[in-house]
Amino acid sequence: MRVLRLERVRGRLWAQDPAVAASKALRFAPGDLTGDGLGMDRARYDRLSRTVDEVYHCGASMNMAAPYRHLASVNVGATARVVEFCRRGRVKRLHHLSTLGVFLAARESGRPEVDERTPPSAQTCGRIGYPRSKFEAETLVAGAAAQGLPVTVYRPGLVLADSRSGVSPADDFVARLHAAAVLTGCHPLSLSRIPVVPVDYTAEMIAELSPRPAPTAGAYHVLLPEARPAVELFDQAKDYGYPLVEVPPDTWRAELKARGSSRTALAMRTLAIAEYILGLSKHRALPDHRCEAVTDVLRRLGRHERLGSGFFTPMFRSFIDRNVLPPLPPLPLS
């Protein structure tokens, strides 16, 4: 099983960047983040603990519909094991990938705006399992930092498709959202402004930021400087050719319920996190996010990240090619 997983990683890496996949500098050390010793034999674990300088902790369960108890072993327990590894042998700098979801309920808790200095809390993350588990993981990391472990935290916004290929996971939030909208022929009136970042920008920003000293703010908010209105996600689908009608949130919920036999509709109905991401009520809209530390670094590098006008076109093409979305309906005869 471990060999199969390793070959899957190799295959995906090769599809993304053959030069990196073929590099002799690349080494694989298969393990299990939820296992003792990170799932490695003791000799390998000890050897790595003495030779590794930096650790990028990107492993997590991103099931946004799962309850906290189902996510804690990976998102919290694995983080504790990674912190333990960073302390063992040679002290290592930990780069911890979190999420802006730790502020999912910030507006509801009385914080309409958050920035890189805002400390997340049990109130700002809310009760939904995924953001709560990521907040608990950040709490562990903050405790380790207070005890002297070098730590940098990165909080991406809503991660969009690759800006070059348009590819994104078929089961991520944006894919499910568009599938549900096309299925019902409608979308809800949405009040949030969503902090977004394409997946390749996320990787590039972290690569640019990680050699630098940890920010005095405590974390980097990895997102494009301008949040996008949630309704723009649906407007892009309309511009691409899908006939969608904006309806009140209650009507949207009723349309999803009416298609209860559809896995697409059921998946969207069970995503309580969508209430916040889309802003289906005034108090559950996302807070305004600020990313001054990231913006300052990018400005000094002469980089100004923006979503181009054609960003969404390859994403929709990819969705259609992989049967996430049906082909566009035929144009009416004139």
Side-chain angles (χ1 to χ4, degrees), residues 122-327:
Q123 289 71 43
T124 64
C125 73
R127 298 180 178 180
I128 296 173
Y130 176 69
R132 180 185 164 195
S133 69
K134 296 298 285 183
F135 162 67
E136 295 290 349
E138 272 206 43
T139 300
L140 286 173
V141 170
Q147 295 174 8
L149 186 71
V151 169
T152 302
V153 174
Y154 309 88
R155 299 185 187 122
L158 182 67
V159 178
L160 300 179
D162 188 291
S163 66
R164 301 156 298 185
S165 66
V167 172
S168 65
D171 60 352
D172 78 353
F173 177 80
V174 174
R176 289 181 174 184
L177 182 65
H178 281 112
V182 172
L183 174 69
T184 59
C186 61
H187 67 86
L189 174 65
S190 304
L191 303 176
S192 282
R193 292 183 62 83
I194 305 177
V196 298
V197 59
V199 64
D200 52 315
Y201 285 19
T202 303
E204 290 170 6
M205 284 186 188
I206 292 173
E208 290 277 13
L209 295 167
S210 61
R212 300 170 180 273
T216 55
Y220 285 119
H221 285 182
V222 183
L223 63 153
L224 299 183
E226 296 177 7
R228 311 297 282 246
V231 69
E232 183 180 328
L233 293 175
F234 304 112
D235 289 342
Q236 292 291 340
K238 294 176 189 177
D239 290 345
Y240 191 72
Y242 289 105
L244 304 178
V245 178
E246 184 177 76
V247 297
D250 284 346
T251 303
W252 161 252
R253 296 185 189 99
E255 290 293 333
L256 291 173
K257 187 175 181 179
R259 292 162 176 81
S261 60
S262 165
R263 293 181 62 185
T264 297
L266 180 61
M268 186 52 56
R269 282 181 60 203
T270 58
L271 284 176
I273 201 169
E275 295 277 331
Y276 293 87
I277 294 178
L278 296 177
L280 299 189
S281 65
K282 179 179 178 181
H283 298 294
R284 287 194 168 186
L286 294 178
D288 295 326
H289 298 84
R290 298 289 178 262
C291 56
E292 280 79 5
V294 166
T295 302
D296 180 62
V297 170
L298 294 178
R299 185 184 299 115
R300 284 188 275 116
L301 291 171
R303 294 181 58 173
H304 304 281
E305 307 292 7
R306 295 288 187 275
L307 284 188
S309 58
F311 170 81
F312 289 92
T313 297
M315 184 187 77
F316 286 120
R317 288 174 181 162
S318 174
F319 284 160
I320 293 172
D321 289 345
R322 291 178 294 148
N323 297 316
V324 175
L325 293 180

